[in-house]
Amino acid sequence: MTVFARRARASAGRMHPELSLVSYTLLGHLEEVGGCRATDLAAHYALDKSTVSRQVAALERAGLIGRRMDPEDHRVQVLHLTEAGTEILAQVTRSRRVAFRERLTGWSEEDLARFASYLVRYNATAPATAAEKRVGGPPGD
């Protein structure tokens, strides 16, 4: 798993110099949900708010995300992809797909199906939240 994570981080830098793996992940989430608050990103990925704040600031400086007022609560700002953010995310996604295809060339259909099922199973397991990690278990245990 460590090698897998290292390769993912390294490949993110090769795909686009402005995007770290975390940046790419945050942009992908904003695209998927159509925008959200920074606190929502922190909660979804179980990241510290300061980490998300730094990433968001860098993405804003790069012109990849913007802010707009939440129509339901004008005290809240919603992050959204800019046109440049959408374009870079699409470019990186295409590059990643090419890399995956190259890496999986020669795998049998059976191997691909098994690998995909393992990834689905792995991703279905929810990670512990920061609060659960501090107290040693889920709330109410």
Side-chain angles (χ1 to χ4, degrees), residues 18-28 55 58-59 64 89:
E18 293 180 37
L19 294 183
S20 68
L21 182 58
V22 172
S23 296
Y24 175 79
T25 303
L26 297 180
L27 289 176
Q55 292 292 325
L59 291 169
L64 303 178
L89 182 61

Side-chain angles (χ1 to χ4, degrees), residues 117-127:
S117 71
Y118 291 150
L119 287 175
V120 167
R121 181 176 167 193
Y122 178 80
N123 287 326
T125 304

Side-chain angles (χ1 to χ4, degrees), residues 3-122:
V3 171
F4 185 78
R6 284 183 189 144
R7 284 185 178 156
R9 282 191 298 275
S11 70
R14 287 191 306 271
M15 299 297 171
H16 196 283
E18 293 180 37
L19 294 183
S20 68
L21 182 58
V22 172
S23 296
Y24 175 79
T25 303
L26 297 180
L27 289 176
H29 186 76
L30 289 174
E31 179 184 55
E32 184 180 322
V33 300
C36 66
R37 300 174 302 164
T39 54
D40 297 331
L41 288 172
H44 182 78
Y45 290 106
L47 294 171
D48 186 76
K49 289 178 187 177
S50 64
T51 300
V52 171
S53 179
R54 284 190 301 275
Q55 292 292 325
V56 165
L59 291 169
E60 280 185 294
R61 281 192 305 274
L64 303 178
I65 63 172
R67 295 176 187 259
R68 61 178 167 238
M69 274 203 239
D70 184 331
E72 295 175 18
D73 185 348
H74 293 285
R75 298 171 296 169
V76 174
Q77 292 188 338
V78 176
L79 304 171
H80 64 92
L81 291 180
T82 62
E83 187 175 322
T86 300
E87 289 173 16
I88 285 178
L89 182 61
Q91 172 191 349
V92 172
T93 299
R94 283 189 301 273
S95 296
R96 288 179 65 109
R97 285 182 180 157
V98 167
F100 284 131
R101 281 188 193 104
E102 288 173 358
R103 200 157 171 101
L104 298 173
T105 296
W107 285 39
S108 70
E109 289 294 322
E110 182 180 311
D111 285 344
L112 289 171
R114 190 176 304 122
F115 182 60
S117 71
Y118 291 150
L119 287 175
V120 167
R121 181 176 167 193
Y122 178 80

